[in-house]
Amino acid sequence: QVQLVESGGGLVQAGGSLRLSCAASGPTFSSYTVAWFRPAPGKEREFVSAISGRGGSTSYADSVKGRFTISRDNAKSTVYLQMNSLKPEDTAVYYCAASRRWLAMTQDSYYYWGRGTQVTVSS
């Protein structure tokens, strides 16, 4: 079983940056793809970014490509989401999730979820 705890959210002005962290507990963390999701109109949660177990592969939603960077440190069992050039439309609760499916991009593929961290971007 994997437990996930997000941190790093906060209030930032448009154009600013934040780094989110997702700390995991449980064995074999490096065998899990970890992703970030956020709520979106018409969807329960939309995909933001994912990173494979060893960190060699990543994927991003078009809306964040070029602005967000996902990374992981398996020695610390932590995944990071560096968010730059933030926009008001990035305001959301950000959830991290873990899956054994390689680089999955749909929330149904993720069994383990954190409780989320709030990101608010003011204009």
Side-chain angles (χ1 to χ4, degrees):
Q1 185 172 353
V2 177
Q3 294 182 325
L4 304 171
V5 179
E6 303 93 335
S7 62
L11 173 64
V12 64
Q13 289 188 329
S17 298
L18 282 174
R19 189 177 81 157
L20 306 184
S21 298
C22 173
S25 61
T28 63
F29 175 68
S30 63
S31 67
Y32 289 88
T33 285
V34 175
W36 291 92
F37 288 82
R38 65 188 183 188
K43 304 177 183 179
E44 187 172 344
R45 291 172 185 170
E46 71 170 356
F47 171 80
V48 175
S49 182
I51 187 165
S52 60
R54 295 187 182 276
S57 298
T58 58
S59 63
Y60 297 92
D62 288 342
S63 59
V64 306
K65 202 170 292 183
R67 300 188 298 121
F68 291 10
T69 303
I70 193 169
S71 62
R72 68 190 294 159
D73 183 343
N74 285 340
K76 296 182 178 180
S77 296
T78 301
V79 169
Y80 305 99
L81 185 68
Q82 178 66 45
M83 306 188 296
N84 298 329
S85 303
L86 283 161
K87 305 175 181 180
E89 51 263 43
D90 294 319
T91 295
V93 176
Y94 285 72
Y95 299 89
C96 68
S99 171
R100 288 200 177 269
R101 296 188 65 179
W102 185 81
L103 225 56
M105 296 171 62
T106 58
Q107 62 175 353
D108 291 347
S109 299
Y110 288 83
Y111 186 77
Y112 301 107
W113 291 84
R115 294 188 175 185
T117 184
Q118 175 71 48
V119 171
T120 303
V121 184
S122 63
S123 56

